[in-house]
Amino acid sequence: MHETERQRVIIAAVQTRPVVTVAELCEVTGSSEATIRRDIAALHVQGKLRRVRGGAEALTPPEQGGLMGRPFSVNETINIAQKRAIARAAVELCKDGEPIIINGGTTTYQMVHHLTDRRLSVFTNSFGIAEFLIHNSRNSVVIPGGTIYREQNVILSPFGGVVASHFYAKRMFIGCQGIGAHGLMEADPMVVQSELGLIGQADELIVLADSSKFSGRSSLILCGLDRITAVISDSGIRDEDRQMLETAGVRLIVAETTAHADRQATVA
């Protein structure tokens, strides 16, 4: 992550709680402790946050807390070609008339461009996905009640949702903070709580994860690999990560990003 992107993440993170620790910022950005401390010092001098012992805090914290994790506006610029190919392969799994869940995220958001001529019943907690489909497709769109978190562009409620608990889906499409031998990882407890409720409503769980996500880590595990039906990734995925998924019985779909294979995905 470049310095500018990293510092945008830090500024967004300090809006989420009274104090954000250096360790938490290292986890979110994937950077070293020394790098984070330098960034905090620089942002402190620029008057963009306040440096405190062991971390940083906002100068004027907002009334509504945010979520841990990189903002949508930062994430959507990272590995964009891979995300587009992965999203296209995801939509190819859908059949008209099916009910599906699309969880909020920058990779899942790319699915909307391939859903414009489809006829699906779509449940999503992404304000951006819902808005696009409402204006650019004839899909049925269902959203949960809750609070809109602008930085991540999602709708979440700490109390769960009546609509979500009664929505059945053939497949749920979901991104993640990271994926490893222990399963899917996320950065914020509220996100985990929301996603756990949705996962139980779908027959199949399809994970959209570019190859960099196999190096991502978080302290919060959403679910084990045994709950995942398939992972859609890109050709940059390492052999050891392929083997990990195969051993766990998870289907791997590799979405090609080359011009020649622009409309195809290969099953490993």
mmCIF file of all heavy atoms in Angstrom, residues 58 94 215 233:
data_model
loop_
_atom_site.group_PDB
_atom_site.id
_atom_site.type_symbol
_atom_site.label_atom_id
_atom_site.label_comp_id
_atom_site.label_asym_id
_atom_site.label_seq_id
_atom_site.Cartn_x
_atom_site.Cartn_y
_atom_site.Cartn_z
ATOM 1 N N ALA A 58 -8.700 10.765 16.831
ATOM 2 C CA ALA A 58 -9.181 11.851 15.985
ATOM 3 C C ALA A 58 -9.199 13.154 16.769
ATOM 4 O O ALA A 58 -9.401 13.162 17.985
ATOM 5 C CB ALA A 58 -10.576 11.530 15.462
ATOM 6 N N CYS A 94 -24.679 -17.386 -11.736
ATOM 7 C CA CYS A 94 -26.071 -17.056 -11.425
ATOM 8 C C CYS A 94 -27.001 -17.406 -12.583
ATOM 9 O O CYS A 94 -26.646 -17.250 -13.752
ATOM 10 C CB CYS A 94 -26.206 -15.560 -11.115
ATOM 11 S SG CYS A 94 -25.177 -14.994 -9.741
ATOM 12 N N SER A 215 -2.777 -13.373 1.644
ATOM 13 C CA SER A 215 -1.728 -12.876 2.541
ATOM 14 C C SER A 215 -2.308 -11.957 3.606
ATOM 15 O O SER A 215 -1.602 -11.530 4.515
ATOM 16 C CB SER A 215 -0.660 -12.120 1.731
ATOM 17 O OG SER A 215 -0.067 -12.970 0.775
ATOM 18 N N SER A 233 -10.763 -16.522 -7.540
ATOM 19 C CA SER A 233 -9.559 -15.705 -7.389
ATOM 20 C C SER A 233 -8.957 -15.432 -8.765
ATOM 21 O O SER A 233 -9.605 -15.679 -9.789
ATOM 22 C CB SER A 233 -8.558 -16.410 -6.461
ATOM 23 O OG SER A 233 -7.507 -15.529 -6.106
#
